[in-house]
Amino acid sequence: MQNFQGKVALITGASTGVGEGIAQYLYQCGATVVITGRHKETLETAANNIDPSEKKIIPIVMDVTDPKSVEAVISQIEKHYGGLNYLVNNAGITGSHGVLIEDYALDEWDAVMATDVTGTFYGLKYGIPAIIRSGGGAIVNLSACNGITGIAGIAPYTAAKHAVLGLTRASALEYAQKGVRINAIGPGYVATPNILALPDNIQSWMAGMHPMVRMATREEIAKTVAFLLSDESSFMTGAFIPVDGGYTAQ
């Protein structure tokens, strides 16, 4: 387990699911972790579940689609917690499934792009300067296994996750000599509480999409994120790591 004592991490979309799992693991590694999302009650519940003392898990309401909100929260982190060392751009939505492009609602396309692509851009735009001011650090962007493959029926999400890789690679090149490493991961299906609440046949279908015939655990995703944030990956930037049980190897 990495040692992140004295480090401050921001994780977007961390009130539930994969983001919550990443927050919990980084907290266990000793980091002070700011978790953000749009719903105060859900954020506070997640924070309390991870750290009942509420000293090293800090819930802050933030909307990744609003640049002023992102900028204000990062400024708040610098002011109150001494700087920002790590950023995990996790917030994302999938949109409707099983819909042809010609039938896809325009407002749904806009919502997916605003959250998954523009939200990641805002995180980079305001997070990178803060990390530089703190002496350098690392960023992990959440793409997906369909960031390098095509999946029919979810064109906006597939396009968005490809775009996240473009942002990752461009920003990694821009800041390679400025003390900020920027990488991306591509999870397959993850056994989050919401997924585990689905009917057994749907869970089995999800598991069967991977050659390993199971879903990832949240901890497996979190450990990969922690590796990319840590000095153990000190010569890695602009990389994409699938964490997908072999899905993209097919």
Side-chain angles (χ1 to χ4, degrees):
M1 181 175 285
Q2 288 81 7
N3 183 356
F4 292 146
Q5 292 287 342
K7 302 295 186 180
V8 178
L10 166 60
I11 306 171
T12 68
S15 60
T16 60
V18 170
E20 182 185 17
I22 295 169
Q24 183 171 17
Y25 190 78
L26 296 187
Y27 165 79
Q28 292 169 353
C29 292
T32 296
V33 184
V34 176
I35 60 173
T36 68
R38 292 178 296 173
H39 306 293
K40 181 179 179 181
E41 184 176 327
T42 310
L43 277 171
E44 290 178 344
T45 298
N48 186 258
N49 287 340
I50 297 171
D51 177 22
S53 74
E54 298 183 356
K55 292 180 179 179
K56 297 194 73 173
I57 293 286
I58 297 95
I60 303 178
V61 174
M62 185 180 87
D63 181 356
V64 298
T65 70
D66 179 357
K68 292 183 179 179
S69 177
V70 177
E71 184 178 24
V73 168
I74 289 174
S75 177
Q76 182 179 345
I77 292 169
E78 289 190 279
K79 181 178 179 180
H80 294 291
Y81 303 104
L84 180 64
N85 306 107
Y86 307 127
L87 167 63
V88 181
N89 284 310
N90 168 76
I93 58 175
T94 61
S96 297
H97 289 63
V99 181
L100 296 175
I101 286 176
E102 63 186 283
D103 298 322
Y104 226 99
L106 296 180
D107 59 346
E108 278 204 83
W109 166 272
D110 290 341
V112 172
M113 290 296 149
T115 302
D116 297 18
V117 182
T118 307
T120 298
F121 169 74
Y122 291 152
L124 295 169
K125 177 175 176 61
Y126 299 111
I128 289 172
I131 291 172
I132 291 174
R133 287 191 291 268
S134 299
I139 296 172
V140 176
N141 296 325
L142 271 287
S143 180
C145 59
N146 64 321
I148 57 171
T149 63
I151 299 180
I154 52 171
Y157 184 67
T158 298
K161 291 306 181 180
H162 276 69
V164 167
L165 290 187
L167 282 170
T168 299
R169 289 164 176 156
S171 57
L173 294 174
E174 290 177 9
Y175 294 93
Q177 298 182 48
K178 298 181 181 180
V180 184
R181 296 183 301 103
I182 305 163
N183 295 290
I185 66 168
Y189 287 109
V190 183
T192 64
N194 285 343
I195 294 295
L196 293 175
L198 294 173
D200 288 344
N201 65 315
I202 295 178
Q203 291 188 51
S204 295
W205 173 80
M206 289 178 169
M209 293 294 289
H210 313 98
M212 292 180 72
V213 198
R214 68 173 179 86
M215 290 184 278
T217 67
R218 291 197 293 180
E219 187 175 29
E220 287 172 321
I221 304 302
K223 285 181 175 179
T224 306
V225 170
F227 165 71
L228 289 172
L229 295 177
S230 76
D231 290 340
E232 293 177 15
S233 61
S234 57
F235 198 55
M236 294 178 65
T237 196
F240 170 71
I241 299 180
V243 192
D244 63 2
Y247 181 92
T248 55
Q250 299 179 99

